[in-house]
């Protein structure tokens, strides 16, 4: 297991007006914090349990954490993954030594298969978060934070099932009850606010977010007890902020962070950012991103930051019509990325074409200037 680095973030420090440091669990073995809990859980098995092997269900990070931990300890592992799991994650799980079985359209169906296999063979099911040993393993993140940032005043961490946040909170609050601990969820997959309001784990109605690593419909019993008693605040962030946070980490910190791992960064970028005190530690929980998804995330982040604009306009279908549009855009200082020219789009009249132009812009104000120039030239209403 690696002791992951702590990296100062000038961009977030300037935003918050205080020192902000990044705990880089995206640089942990297998690309996330997951091996910490998986290793502690599997290492604690009896000889008889080890002989029967372990089984898990996951679409990504937990799968790789279990595979690496089991192989390191010399224990056979089988991991059930949804049929739609990304190829890089499936390949990585196999490379870490686990037998991978693709089963089920969603993770819940994969988990059903894992439970069935455990019942039939006696293999030990390794839950992704809801076990005391898992929480104890994730608590090592909190221990390292205290060692690397003795004067830390606030810790902000992603929150899905609750294993990471429960462990971090348990570690730091025992040593320093004054430290403020904040958990962050995606707005479109937020089970914790409702659960805490109800006083018990409650299933969320929606799980539609790019931050799939924390899209957990229902908190665990073990993690709920820890989070309810130890965490100071739970906040949520939207999809635009999450993609902007991924982009910020790429551009300013030179770190590849997956959407679930970047939600704590997104919380500090929110116009109504949570109240922090003292030095701030932001946990980057993982960095496993499918390259195809990364390209979409980058584009989404650029759009959300006002740096990528797509406009569709109608121009006369005659020589020079497109050139005049491009000259108007040139004069605004926008850089053309892509042009699509169509004579059959929408409700075009004879002698008209639709031109869809993708542009690089310098922010929301520049986008307003581009639209104003197009409007003045008669291309937009």
């Amino acid at each position: 297991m690696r002791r992951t680095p702590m990296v100062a973030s000038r961009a977030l420090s300037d935003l918050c007006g205080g020192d902000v440091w990044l705990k880089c669990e995206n640089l942990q073995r297998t690309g996330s914090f997951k091996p910490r809990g998986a290793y502690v859980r599997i290492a604690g098995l009896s000889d008889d349990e080890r002989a029967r092997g372990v089984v898990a269900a996951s679409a990504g990070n937990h799968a790789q954490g279990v595979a690496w931990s089991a192989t390191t300890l010399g224990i056979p592992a089988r991991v059930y993954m949804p049929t739609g799991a990304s190829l890089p994650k499936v390949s990585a799980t196999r490379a870490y030594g686990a037998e991978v079985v693709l089963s089920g359209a969603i993770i819940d169906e994969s988990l059903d298969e894992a439970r069935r296999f455990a019942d039939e063979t006696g293999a030990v099911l390794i839950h992704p978060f809801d076990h005391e040993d898992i929480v104890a393993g994730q608590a090592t993140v909190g221990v390292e934070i205290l060692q690397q940032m003795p004067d830390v005043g606030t810790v902000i961490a992603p929150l899905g099932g609750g294993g990471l946040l429960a462990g971090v909170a348990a570690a730091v609050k025992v040593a320093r009850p004054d430290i403020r601990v904040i958990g962050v969820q995606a707005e479109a997959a937020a089970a914790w606010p409702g659960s805490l309001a109800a006083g018990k784990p409650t299933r969320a109605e929606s799980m539609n977010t790019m931050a799939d690593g924390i899209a957990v419909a229902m908190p665990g019993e073990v993690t709920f007890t820890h989070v309810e008693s130890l965490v100071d605040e739970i906040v949520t962030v939207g999809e635009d902020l999450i993609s902007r946070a991924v982009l910020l980490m790429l551009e300013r910190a030179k770190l590849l962070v997956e959407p679930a791992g970047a939600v704590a960064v997104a919380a500090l970028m929110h116009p109504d950012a949570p109240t922090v005190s003292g030095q701030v530690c932001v946990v980057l929980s993982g960095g496993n991103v499918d390259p195809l998804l990364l390209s979409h995330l980058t584009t989404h982040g650029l759009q959300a930051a006002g740096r990528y604009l797509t406009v569709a306009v109608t121009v006369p279908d005659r020589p020079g019509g497109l050139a005049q549009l491009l000259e108007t855009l040139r004069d605004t200082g926008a850089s053309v990325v892509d042009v699509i020219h169509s004579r059959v789009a929408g409700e075009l009249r004879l002698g008209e074409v639709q031109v869809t132009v993708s542009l690089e812009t310098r922010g929301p104000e520049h986008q307003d200037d581009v639209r104003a120039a197009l409007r003045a030239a008669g291309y937009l209403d």
Side-chain angles (χ1 to χ4, degrees), residues 5-10 12-13 18-24 148-149 152 154 156 268 279-284:
M6 191 80 75
V7 178
S9 173
R10 176 66 179 272
L12 292 176
S13 295
D19 291 340
V20 178
W21 292 71
L22 308 171
K23 178 59 172 168
C24 299
Q148 294 168 304
M149 284 185 71
V152 63
T154 303
I156 309 176
L268 289 181
Q279 295 183 346
V280 178
C281 175
V282 173
V283 180
L284 307 178

Side-chain angles (χ1 to χ4, degrees), residues 1 4 23 25 28-30 32-41 61-62 65-66 69 126-145 155 157-158 161-172 222-223 226 283 285:
M1 206 72 59
T4 54
K23 178 59 172 168
E25 285 298 292
Q28 182 56 266
R29 293 187 185 278
T30 78
S32 84
F33 71 96
K34 287 292 189 178
R36 294 177 182 268
Y39 188 92
V40 170
R41 174 76 174 100
N61 290 346
H62 180 58
V66 168
S69 301
I126 307 300
H127 197 279
F129 54 85
D130 202 30
H131 192 281
E132 292 179 356
D133 287 346
I134 297 290
V135 173
Q138 319 307 21
T140 59
V141 176
V143 172
E144 290 180 16
I145 290 172
V155 178
L164 174 62
L165 187 64
V168 168
V172 302
V222 172
T223 55
H226 284 73
V283 180
S285 60

Side-chain angles (χ1 to χ4, degrees), residues 213-230:
I214 56 171
V216 177
M218 189 169 179
E221 296 287 347
V222 172
T223 55
F224 183 84
T225 300
H226 284 73
V227 171
E228 183 182 41
S229 60
L230 297 173

Side-chain angles (χ1 to χ4, degrees), residues 247-270:
L247 184 62
L248 180 71
M249 291 295 95
L250 274 174
E251 288 192 319
R252 299 296 299 275
K254 313 307 176 190
L255 292 169
L256 178 60
V257 184
E258 63 189 273
V263 293
V265 174
L268 289 181
M269 298 170 66
H270 198 287

Side-chain angles (χ1 to χ4, degrees), residues 106-367:
I106 58 176
I107 188 60
D108 286 347
E109 294 175 1
S110 302
L111 183 57
D112 288 341
E113 288 297 317
R115 289 192 175 112
R116 189 175 298 112
F117 179 80
D119 291 339
E120 292 174 354
T121 66
V124 179
L125 180 66
I126 307 300
H127 197 279
F129 54 85
D130 202 30
H131 192 281
E132 292 179 356
D133 287 346
I134 297 290
V135 173
Q138 319 307 21
T140 59
V141 176
V143 172
E144 290 180 16
I145 290 172
L146 292 172
Q147 294 170 345
Q148 294 168 304
M149 284 185 71
D151 296 327
V152 63
T154 303
V155 178
I156 309 176
L159 175 59
L164 174 62
L165 187 64
V168 168
V172 302
K173 288 288 190 178
V174 166
R176 292 262 314 279
D178 60 300
I179 294 176
R180 184 168 174 77
V181 178
I182 300 170
V184 187
Q185 289 212 284
E187 285 179 359
W192 281 90
S195 295
L196 292 171
K200 62 181 180 180
T202 303
R203 185 172 295 276
E205 295 181 359
S206 171
M207 286 285 117
N208 185 23
T209 175
M210 67 177 72
D212 58 343
I214 56 171
V216 177
M218 189 169 179
E221 296 287 347
V222 172
T223 55
F224 183 84
T225 300
H226 284 73
V227 171
E228 183 182 41
S229 60
L230 297 173
V231 175
D232 296 286
E233 184 179 2
I234 304 297
V235 299
T236 61
V237 291
E239 301 297 288
D240 283 354
L241 271 178
I242 295 173
S243 61
R244 286 177 56 195
V246 171
L247 184 62
L248 180 71
M249 291 295 95
L250 274 174
E251 288 192 319
R252 299 296 299 275
K254 313 307 176 190
L255 292 169
L256 178 60
V257 184
E258 63 189 273
V263 293
V265 174
L268 289 181
M269 298 170 66
H270 198 287
D272 296 320
T275 301
V276 299
S277 60
Q279 295 183 346
V280 178
C281 175
V282 173
V283 180
L284 307 178
S285 60
N288 293 315
V289 186
D290 186 310
L292 291 175
L293 174 61
L294 182 60
S295 66
H296 296 309
L297 283 171
T298 303
T299 300
H300 192 275
L302 288 169
Q303 289 174 328
R307 294 170 51 194
Y308 191 88
L309 175 65
T310 300
V311 291
V313 300
T314 301
V315 302
D317 188 10
R318 62 171 182 263
L322 177 60
Q324 290 178 359
L325 169 65
L326 296 178
E327 287 174 2
T328 300
L329 293 171
R330 178 201 61 195
D331 293 341
T332 68
S335 178
V336 176
V337 176
D338 188 48
V339 177
I340 299 175
H341 189 272
S342 175
R343 290 185 171 86
V344 294
E347 299 179 355
L348 293 173
R349 294 175 297 204
L350 186 65
E352 292 180 337
V353 296
Q354 184 181 81
V355 178
T356 303
V357 187
S358 298
L359 307 163
E360 288 183 1
T361 51
R362 297 187 298 274
E365 292 183 0
H366 188 203
Q367 290 189 349

Side-chain angles (χ1 to χ4, degrees), residues 50-65:
R50 290 185 177 212
R52 297 198 302 268
V54 298
V55 63
S58 168
N61 290 346
H62 180 58
Q64 295 172 64

